[in-house]
């Protein structure tokens, strides 16, 4: 089909987040499609993009990646998607540190080691610990395949569901229920549940399947892209351009064009408000199931969205390694039920919110100057409802003063954990759910897509939609997080490729991994500052 701007596209992708860029890269490289990616922001990458202030650089959503150990199939897919142009730096062996008052536990990037350590630390819970990790491994063996079922051809999806029913039954139980069934010690339950911020739904509401999959993804360590998350979008953009594709910025999709029950194009508005239409054989949405349904006019499952976050970005004048920071992430989570709820406005300005996550990506990259830190807290829906409808950078003095109080409280808490770090804070910037909504288009600033509840598993969200010619990609198709969104892109490309789609993608990734480094068209860049 010919587009009004004179270009001819096989596929148009709505959104340049990890799911959209993964689909675009695989469709171009493996399926031979000419792909146009549309992004409303002035930077590509969605929640993998980065921003800079006065020489400091922060990622807005990417803090660490799992499942990317060298040689593994997921790493092979990642390298294929990025054209081999994104090098990954490992986090420390103890990649996450969980704090509970005076107690702390450094989580190793090895599930077997974690199981053995916890059994020694809590010998009275050894049997329950073995059961918990056995259930986690069962999920990791089977749930990924079960999640692919809604994206597979009808006969294949039915067969997968038939052989996966036991796994799905376990996966739909709540995280709190499974942990409570396995162990009773409150301190141990805290360690097992504390990192629920990785998927955004408290243990009492989240489906154990997602919890276990994300834990398992870090079973061989954690990784961070050298050059920051923005390196991913830059690499994929080069891959697309080399194959006649394009990433078009400042272009907001207003609706998906539907004719006779088939998606045929999109209506877009550019940065100046000029409206036009673009057409293609297939439309692929990285906007999430709820927003995609609204754009295309079909009914979506009634699922609660994941929460949004308040994030403090810090530019440091001194190297935090002098204070004992080694690049690990730190989780400060209140014990018991208090640590399993979202933060209110009052919590955000208090001595201790229910949960706070701290990362030091500049240390992971080995930077020598312009060090950074981030402090993130998941917020209650509507916490900033008083400013809904206001414009970015025009929200008024009261909003600005509130942000300063939140920032001051977070810096004070950080200084208690890492004494002396407050003195090195040279600049700071705070984002709220309103900021996230402004740049992602997600209602309420949701950062993980549809909430990972048992209802989401039951809804069987896949790449296929009720409309012909319209596919879904991203986190809603698989799991939350960057690696989950990437697999959502894999599932969408596989759906476009038919019954042979997934085998073709995995074979192409394995073949690319066997190429010598000199044959990779876009070699990995040097570290960015």
């Amino acid at each position: 089909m010919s587009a009004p701007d004179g270009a001819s596209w096989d596929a148009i992708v709505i959104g340049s987040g990890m799911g959209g860029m993964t689909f675009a890269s695989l469709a171009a490289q493996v399926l031979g499609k000419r792909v146009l990616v549309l992004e409303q922001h002035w930077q590509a990458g969605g929640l993998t993009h980065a921003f800079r202030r006065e020489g400091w650089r922060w990622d807005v959503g990417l803090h660490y990646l799992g499942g990317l150990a060298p040689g593994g199939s997921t790493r092979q897919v990642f390298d294929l998607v990025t054209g081999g142009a994104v090098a990954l730096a490992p986090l420390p062996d103890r990649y996450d540190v969980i704090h509970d008052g005076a107690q702390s536990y450094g989580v190793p990037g090895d599930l077997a080691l974690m199981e053995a350590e916890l059994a020694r630390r809590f010998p009275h819970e050894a049997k329950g610990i073995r059961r918990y990790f056995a259930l986690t491994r069962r999920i990791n063996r089977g749930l990924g395949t079960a999640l692919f079922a809604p994206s597979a051809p009808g006969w294949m999806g039915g067969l997968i569901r038939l052989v996966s029913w036991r796994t799905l039954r376990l996966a739909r139980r709540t995280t709190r229920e499974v942990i409570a069934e396995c162990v009773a010690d409150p301190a141990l339950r805290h360690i097992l549940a504390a990192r629920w911020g990785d998927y955004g739904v408290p243990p009492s509401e989240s489906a154990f399947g997602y919890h276990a999959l994300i834990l398992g993804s870090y079973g061989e360590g954690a990784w961070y892209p050298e050059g920051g998350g923005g390196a991913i979008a830059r690499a994929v953009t080069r891959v697309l351009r080399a194959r006649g594709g394009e990433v078009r910025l400042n272009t907001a999709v207003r609706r998906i064009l539907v004719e006779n029950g088939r998606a045929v194009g999109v209506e877009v508005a550019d940065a100046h408000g000029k409206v036009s239409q673009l057409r293609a054989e297939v439309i692929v949405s990285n906007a999430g199931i709820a927003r995609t349904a609204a754009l295309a006019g079909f009914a979506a499952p009634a699922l609660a969205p994941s929460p949004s976050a308040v994030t403090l970005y810090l530019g440091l004048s001194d190297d935090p390694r002098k204070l004992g920071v080694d690049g690990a992430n730190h989780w400060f989570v209140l014990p018991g039920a208090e640590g399993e709820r979202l933060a209110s406005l009052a919590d955000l300005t208090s001595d201790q919110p229910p949960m706070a996550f701290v990362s030091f990506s500049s240390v992971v990259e080995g930077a020598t100057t312009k060090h950074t830190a981030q402090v993130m807290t998941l917020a209650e829906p509507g916490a900033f409802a008083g400013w809904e409808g206001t414009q970015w950078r025009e929200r008024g003095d009261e909003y600005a003063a509130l942000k300063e109080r939140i920032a001051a409280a977070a810096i004070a808490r950080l200084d208690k954990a890492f004494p002396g770090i407050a003195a090195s804070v040279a600049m700071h910037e705070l984002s709220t759910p309103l900021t996230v909504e402004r740049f992602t288009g997600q209602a309420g600033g949701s950062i993980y897509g549809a909430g990972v509840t048992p209802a989401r598993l039951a809804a069987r969200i896949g790449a296929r939609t009720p409309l012909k010619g319209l596919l879904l990609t991203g986190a809603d198709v698989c799991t939350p997080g960057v690696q989950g969104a990437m697999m959502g892109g894999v599932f969408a490309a596989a759906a476009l490729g038919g019954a042979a789609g997934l085998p073709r993608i995995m074979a192409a990734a394995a073949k690319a991994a066997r190429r010598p480094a000199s044959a990779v068209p876009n070699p990995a860049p040097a570290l960015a500052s």
Side-chain angles (χ1 to χ4, degrees), residues 69-70 176 192 210 230 271 330 379 432 507 514 522:
R176 176 185 283 178
L192 297 180
Y210 295 107
H330 293 262
T432 72
R514 293 193 295 269
N522 297 309

Side-chain angles (χ1 to χ4, degrees), residues 298-529:
F298 65 86
L303 299 173
S306 63
S308 191
V310 173
T311 305
L312 177 64
Y313 302 95
L314 298 172
L316 306 178
S317 61
D318 204 1
D319 191 333
R321 284 172 289 205
K322 295 177 182 179
L323 304 176
V325 170
D326 66 356
N329 305 307
H330 293 262
W331 294 86
F332 297 90
V333 184
L334 294 177
E338 272 298 288
E340 297 182 1
R341 63 179 180 84
L342 301 171
S344 66
L345 274 184
D347 290 321
L348 293 168
T349 56
S350 70
D351 291 340
Q352 178 63 69
M355 180 275 292
F357 170 85
V358 181
S359 62
F360 299 90
S361 57
S362 64
V363 173
V364 180
E365 288 192 83
T368 56
T369 60
K370 292 295 183 181
H371 279 285
T372 60
Q374 292 184 40
V375 184
M376 183 188 79
T377 304
L378 297 180
E380 287 180 349
F384 292 83
W387 292 274
E388 285 183 3
T390 58
Q391 298 300 310
W392 181 54
R393 292 185 171 178
E394 298 178 6
R395 306 195 196 280
D397 293 342
E398 185 180 353
Y399 178 78
L402 173 63
K403 287 176 64 174
E404 285 304 309
R405 291 198 302 275
I406 294 171
I411 293 171
R413 293 193 304 267
L414 191 64
D415 199 60
K416 289 181 180 178
F418 304 98
I421 199 168
S424 72
V425 174
M427 68 88 61
H428 68 269
E429 187 162 329
L430 189 94
S431 77
T432 72
L434 301 175
T435 318
V436 180
E437 182 172 3
R438 162 67 176 81
F439 289 106
T440 67
Q442 293 299 313
S446 172
I447 59 174
Y448 289 130
V452 290
T453 61
R456 171 170 160 171
L457 273 175
R460 297 179 182 175
I461 301 172
R464 301 175 187 277
T465 72
L467 296 176
K468 294 179 180 179
L470 176 62
L471 296 174
L472 187 69
T473 184
D476 281 2
V477 177
C478 190
T479 62
V482 176
Q483 59 270 49
M486 182 184 79
M487 292 310 298
V490 171
F491 290 1
L496 183 61
L502 188 58
R504 284 179 65 186
I505 291 168
M506 301 313 293
K511 181 179 179 181
R514 293 193 295 269
R515 275 186 257 163
S518 60
V520 176
N522 297 309
L527 279 175
S529 61

